[in-house]
Amino acid sequence: MSSLPFDVAAGSVLGREHARAGRNNQDAWCVRASEHGLVAVVADGCGSQPCSELGAQLGVRRVVQAALTRLAEDERVDEAGFLPGLREDVLCLLSELRGELGRDTLGDFLFTVVGAVMTPSHTLVFSAGDGLWALNGEVHSLGPFPNNAPPYLAYALSRGEEDTPLVRQALVPTEDVHALLLGTDGVADLAKLADVVMPSGDERVGPLSRLWTEPRYFENPDALRRRLAMLNRESVRADFEARRLVRTPGLLPDDTTLVVLRRRMGRA
């Protein structure tokens, strides 16, 4: 496993509107490490496709697998060819899988990507489509795109489009990374809720920075998922004077998924 001095927290929650429509969570995340480095990716499947959660789950694993393979082959993330090569690797893997499944799966493979490849020397943040990322407290939103149509990587499998690249968002020395967050577009909604009261109780949601400054999210591997679940849990209370039930809906309309990496205290 990687010796990089970072702790990881991750979680995902089904969006309120997807739950109402009886749909699955179409987001996914994957984090893996090797002796060569660490790769973290989140993905959001295209909402108009019936099985886009399949593409998101396969997509994050394919991207992570391909990136770790490149690191094992001594590829450097600071080289200009790393992301184009990673894109081709992922498209080849998806194309092979498409043939093995024996049906038209292109729609299933439409997913956005926000990811990071971290080595002892450099950390690369990249994306394809919308989402959000934050480095050392500085938050960056990706999208929205015209007509709510992100440039999905898998368009290249049918349209031969070359304008669906993996885009470099940041390349920094790893020694300068203290906290890194990768999120799907649902995290943009979460970022706007700092002063909003939780559905149950009087606690406010708080800023995104809580997710990388509070130790609890890194001490318990399920803490971040549970926090997201609490944010999206409908609250029902009795108003005895009005003789009625008052329902407070969950706060996150869209599927929300994030990975947070934080440098361990006392480690350079």
Side-chain angles (χ1 to χ4, degrees):
M1 294 297 289
S2 171
S3 59
L4 293 170
F6 288 87
D7 293 320
V8 180
S12 182
V13 68
L14 175 67
R16 180 186 69 225
E17 299 307 315
H18 281 194
R20 286 178 177 173
R23 298 164 69 181
N24 294 327
N25 186 341
Q26 295 172 328
D27 283 0
W29 63 271
C30 184
V31 180
R32 290 180 186 166
S34 71
E35 65 271 27
H36 305 287
L38 181 151
V39 185
V41 177
V42 299
D44 179 5
C46 177
S48 63
Q49 300 299 321
C51 298
S52 64
E53 63 270 19
L54 170 65
Q57 291 288 347
L58 290 172
V60 292
R61 287 160 176 78
R62 293 296 189 177
V63 174
V64 168
Q65 172 189 336
L68 286 176
T69 298
R70 286 193 164 264
L71 293 183
E73 294 172 349
D74 294 326
E75 293 274 353
R76 295 175 55 91
V77 298
D78 57 332
E79 293 178 344
F82 186 87
L83 283 180
L86 179 60
R87 174 184 181 272
E88 290 306 310
D89 292 344
V90 173
L91 290 175
C92 286
L93 290 167
L94 291 178
S95 181
E96 292 173 3
L97 184 59
R98 185 183 182 191
E100 292 173 0
L101 291 176
R103 62 184 178 88
D104 186 6
T105 57
L106 178 62
D108 300 339
F109 291 162
L110 300 181
F111 55 87
T112 63
V113 172
V114 183
V117 181
M118 183 177 287
T119 70
S121 60
H122 289 89
T123 293
L124 170 68
V125 181
F126 61 93
S127 67
D130 50 18
L132 179 147
W133 63 281
L135 178 61
N136 297 338
E138 186 174 336
V139 179
H140 305 266
S141 294
L142 304 169
F145 292 88
N147 301 317
N148 196 29
Y152 297 114
L153 286 180
Y155 280 158
L157 297 178
S158 64
R159 304 179 182 180
E161 294 186 7
E162 296 299 328
D163 59 345
T164 58
L166 287 174
V167 180
R168 177 191 292 184
Q169 298 296 337
L171 178 65
V172 298
T174 297
E175 64 182 5
D176 293 339
V177 177
H178 301 285
L180 176 62
L181 180 149
L182 310 171
T184 58
D185 59 349
V187 181
D189 295 321
L190 175 59
K192 300 173 184 176
L193 299 175
D195 295 324
V196 176
V197 175
M198 299 277 287
S200 58
D202 300 322
E203 179 189 1
R204 296 189 183 277
V205 174
L208 276 183
S209 60
R210 295 183 64 175
L211 302 179
W212 60 79
T213 57
E214 296 187 5
R216 57 174 169 157
Y217 296 115
F218 302 93
E219 294 169 349
N220 183 330
D222 197 41
L224 184 50
R225 183 205 62 81
R226 288 192 298 182
R227 178 67 174 180
L228 294 175
M230 289 175 62
L231 288 170
N232 241 22
R233 184 177 300 155
E234 181 182 69
S235 172
V236 181
R237 64 177 180 83
D239 184 338
F240 293 104
E241 291 186 2
R243 297 183 179 182
R244 64 188 181 93
L245 293 177
V246 178
R247 298 181 181 273
T248 303
L251 300 177
L252 300 170
D254 196 7
D255 302 337
T256 302
T257 302
L258 49 88
V259 172
V260 186
L261 296 96
R262 185 181 74 162
R263 183 175 294 274
R264 297 189 190 113
M265 298 301 180
R267 296 289 298 276

